Amino acid sequence: MATEDAKTNGDGSCLQQIEPVVKDYAWGIRGMDSRVARYALENKAVDEVDPDTPYAELWIGTHPKGPAKLKSTGESLREVIGDDLPFLFKVLSAGKALSIQAHPDKDIAQRLHDENPNAYGDANHKPEMAIALTPFEAMCGFRRLEEVSLLVKK
């Protein structure tokens, strides 16, 4: 049975609308200037946009700290597909420079999580890809050791 949130394809399969999860962090962009806020409002993940909230990330995935749900049933995406997705899709709206990110590979992430789940709350690796939807500046790599040494001496 198709609902308002589900569209039947010609082959009888059904597309389901997913409700993303919105995360607010201090580095996010506030109010309607944030693409995350606008996407969340359009998707009805939020009822209104607070002009003082720093909307930072919109998540679509099965991560336990922000599981997406089907709009039609409220079921988590994990319940529907029966497993975790091997990725977490995020839209970022960064109003400030973000810190350096360093993540272990899958095997090390699993081991660290097994040994100390309080410190390593996620057993997954974090392969990343950035696709800029607005003007965006990113740095990749590190300065040569000689340059770092000169800067430290200043």
Side-chain angles (χ1 to χ4, degrees), residues 100 139-143:
I100 292 174
M139 294 183 289
C140 182
F142 297 94
R143 292 179 187 252

Side-chain angles (χ1 to χ4, degrees), residues 63-65 109-110 112-114 116-124 126:
H63 196 285
K65 291 185 179 178
Q110 182 67 57
L112 292 170
H113 176 73
D114 290 344
N116 189 353
N118 291 329
Y120 300 96
D122 192 336
N124 284 308
K126 294 178 176 57

Side-chain angles (χ1 to χ4, degrees), residues 19-23 59-69 88:
E19 184 174 312
V21 174
V22 177
K23 298 289 188 174
W59 290 10
I60 299 174
T62 56
H63 196 285
K65 291 185 179 178
K69 297 179 179 180
L88 176 58

Side-chain angles (χ1 to χ4, degrees), residues 40-91:
L41 187 62
E42 177 70 24
N43 215 301
K44 296 180 178 62
V46 296
D47 294 325
E48 61 184 43
V49 173
D50 179 351
D52 297 321
T53 298
Y55 295 91
E57 296 182 351
L58 184 138
W59 290 10
I60 299 174
T62 56
H63 196 285
K65 291 185 179 178
K69 297 179 179 180
L70 293 189
K71 285 190 173 199
S72 60
T73 65
E75 291 175 280
S76 74
L77 190 54
R78 187 185 195 294
E79 290 173 315
V80 173
I81 64 174
D83 203 354
D84 285 322
L85 289 173
F87 62 88
L88 176 58
F89 179 86
K90 293 182 182 183
V91 175

Side-chain angles (χ1 to χ4, degrees), residues 98-119:
L98 300 178
S99 62
I100 292 174
Q101 299 286 305
H103 303 294
D105 66 21
K106 176 68 174 153
D107 292 336
I108 294 173
Q110 182 67 57
R111 182 176 51 79
L112 292 170
H113 176 73
D114 290 344
E115 291 172 0
N116 189 353
N118 291 329

